[in-house]
Amino acid sequence: MERRLRTWLERELDALRTQQKHGNGQPASLPEYNAPALMELVREKEERILALEADMTKWEQKYVEESAIRHFAMNAAATAAAERDTTIINHSRNGSYGESSLEAHIWQEEGEVMQATRRCQDMEYTCKEEPKTTRAVEVWAAEDSESLSVPRLKLSTAADPP
């Protein structure tokens, strides 16, 4: 809006200047058509624009600050809610919130099943990794024995030809 007003005032100023050059303008005694008065009006409007821009910057800064505060508050509330939910779940698994003994027993069995499953997975992993480890130990042992130059005796069996 200020730009439109400024553009309108600049056009009017240009029109007045052209009229004064041609000599057919309005009398200069009227203050509303006076060039210095119009320049003063433009200056006042520019000051108003700068003041509005400063206010806008101030309000934007305030919005950013409040937005950050809101963001941190929401994170804190979400963290507190998550902790509360975790506490409720843990207490409900232990049966402290008035669950029946059957439900508590089911929760306990599910926990045991999860632990057994985890142990089984650990053992499967160990079984898969053990041959690799054994092979690496055999290679290292072979390298060590070759570096020591220890002669190896081959034991012959009855099935071996002499």
Side-chain angles (χ1 to χ4, degrees), residues 15-68:
L16 287 174
R17 284 183 182 158
T18 351
Q19 287 177 356
Q20 285 180 353
K21 286 181 184 178
H22 296 298
N24 58 357
Q26 298 288 331
S29 63
L30 293 175
E32 59 200 25
Y33 293 109
N34 191 350
L38 289 175
M39 291 300 286
E40 179 66 23
L41 185 62
V42 169
R43 187 187 61 75
E44 289 173 3
K45 295 300 177 183
E46 286 177 346
E47 288 176 358
R48 177 74 177 142
I49 290 169
L50 290 175
L52 289 172
E53 287 175 349
D55 285 346
M56 185 177 70
T57 304
K58 179 183 77 173
W59 286 106
E60 285 175 349
Q61 180 65 30
K62 187 172 183 177
Y63 170 77
V64 168
E65 290 172 358
E66 289 179 359
S67 177

Side-chain angles (χ1 to χ4, degrees), residues 84 87-92 94-99:
R84 184 192 70 232
T87 304
I88 289 172
I89 290 169
N90 288 339
H91 284 292
S92 67
N94 295 333
S96 65
Y97 278 99
E99 291 180 306

Side-chain angles (χ1 to χ4, degrees), residues 115-159:
Q115 288 176 353
T117 303
R118 189 174 301 123
R119 281 187 298 220
C120 182
Q121 289 172 347
D122 289 343
M123 288 172 43
E124 287 176 356
Y125 177 78
T126 303
C127 290
K128 288 178 184 176
E129 292 298 314
E130 188 173 328
K132 296 176 186 175
T133 307
T134 305
R135 178 66 184 140
V137 169
E138 289 172 359
V139 168
W140 290 333
E143 289 175 358
D144 285 345
S145 64
E146 289 174 7
S147 66
L148 295 175
S149 300
V150 176
R152 291 189 179 189
L153 297 175
K154 183 177 179 186
L155 299 174
S156 61
T157 61

